Amino acid sequence: MLARGTPYRPSRAAAATTSGSRPRCTAESVRARYAARPRPLSEASLTCRAGASVAPTSAVPPVPDGPAGLRRVGSSHIEYEVVKGPLVQFSDSSSVEVPTAVLVHGILGSGRNLRGFARKLARENPAWQFLLVDLRCHGSSASVDGLATSGQANSVEGAASDVLRLLKKLELFPKMLIGHSMGGKVVMKMVDQFGSKALPRPVQVWVLDTVPGDVRQEPGSSDHPRDLIETLLGIPLPVSSPNTLVQALTKSGFSFEVAAWVATNLEVHPSGDGYGWIFDLAGIRDMYESYESSDLWSVVESPPQGLSIDFVRAERSTFRWAGADHHRIESNGANVHILEDSGHWVHTDQPEKLVSIMRESFCE
């Protein structure tokens, strides 16, 4: 493991830029590039919300609105929302194609966990749009009945298949896939499931604080997801209040921050007495077991033509980034960037530094 304070290693693209082989890519240069585009939005970003009167961009066909902040595309598809940069045009013309990045959350999370980070990316990259999904068993997708009968298991593979089916429904071929923690393995599995030696177009994959193979925690680390899931499964429902849940979790040894975050996934119980879970905990347990065991090294070691893959390693990650894993990734031509002074939640701990690391990939 690298010593604290070791700076991240710039990507090959970044190194080329700083050497003077091409102009430096900045938010200002991107804005200048797209300044001539007609009808720019006046807002820094736009999230599609239920009940909003918004003309659809050609890249995301109009669909019936679902729960607030999300849009439902059918009984067998996961739910999603879109954050748009200020220069994204709203047009009915099928000739307009908006560069799209897909953001995939980790275990026990939802798309809303990445919303603030997506808005930062949208301000930096005003011609892009960002698709945030709720994976099966998580967020609003936990109540999508069709997922249970789709023939896919509650696993990394099943989650990847869900996102690919959604993209097919929306007629989108994203230029970038960004996955945090378990979501990192989901986006790698999406590439694996595509099953082609050459992608139709170049795709950039960003894997945020996870490794392609065996996922382990640092010895003695608190807030282990497996322990958290088992603890939550043992809590009788309904709980009387979110505060009651937070107190129970902190007494069990989990940090206040994690306990408070988990409590945001409570909703009023169907009985009207107390609170229950938004997510499907039993399904999430299966997904976490799949996350621990899934091996995606083949995507790194034998990538399809057109794929670029970068890993971001949190300097204070609770996951054990073995030196062999770090070396194995880089020896196969992928990049590992060290995000200084950050824990596992890289997009909330150091969002500005993370945006800076990723900046060059939006300019290619």
Side-chain angles (χ1 to χ4, degrees), residues 34-80:
Y34 292 100
R37 290 198 174 192
R39 292 183 292 163
L41 297 180
S42 58
E43 300 177 0
S45 63
L46 174 65
T47 302
C48 296
R49 299 182 180 275
S53 177
V54 179
T57 176
S58 62
V60 181
V63 293
D65 287 333
L70 296 161
R71 306 188 79 181
R72 187 185 295 275
V73 295
S75 61
S76 62
H77 290 84
I78 57 174
E79 304 239 8
Y80 73 97

Side-chain angles (χ1 to χ4, degrees), residues 68 83 87 120 157 163:
V83 173
L87 298 179
K120 287 184 179 293
E157 183 176 4
V163 181

Side-chain angles (χ1 to χ4, degrees), residues 339-357:
L339 185 59
E340 293 180 328
D341 199 25
S342 175
H344 180 60
W345 299 94
V346 291
H347 53 286
T348 56
D349 282 4
Q350 294 292 343
E352 298 297 338
K353 290 182 180 179
L354 182 56
V355 168
S356 179
I357 288 173

Side-chain angles (χ1 to χ4, degrees), residues 129-207:
Q129 63 184 6
F130 300 85
L131 184 76
L132 284 66
V133 299
D134 277 6
L135 296 178
R136 59 169 52 225
C137 303
H138 292 75
S140 294
S141 292
S143 60
V144 177
D145 296 333
L147 293 177
T149 58
S150 65
Q152 296 291 332
N154 293 326
S155 62
V156 168
E157 183 176 4
S161 178
D162 292 339
V163 181
L164 287 174
R165 287 193 300 119
L166 174 65
L167 293 174
K168 183 177 181 180
K169 177 73 175 181
L170 298 177
E171 299 180 352
L172 284 174
F173 191 94
K175 295 184 67 174
M176 187 176 296
L177 305 174
I178 304 169
H180 174 247
S181 194
M182 182 187 72
K185 281 196 173 183
V186 171
V187 297
M188 284 188 282
K189 190 63 180 179
M190 289 170 62
V191 175
D192 185 56
Q193 287 183 350
F194 194 78
S196 175
K197 293 183 179 180
L199 299 175
R201 307 180 205 171
V203 174
Q204 169 71 53
V205 168
W206 283 94
V207 179

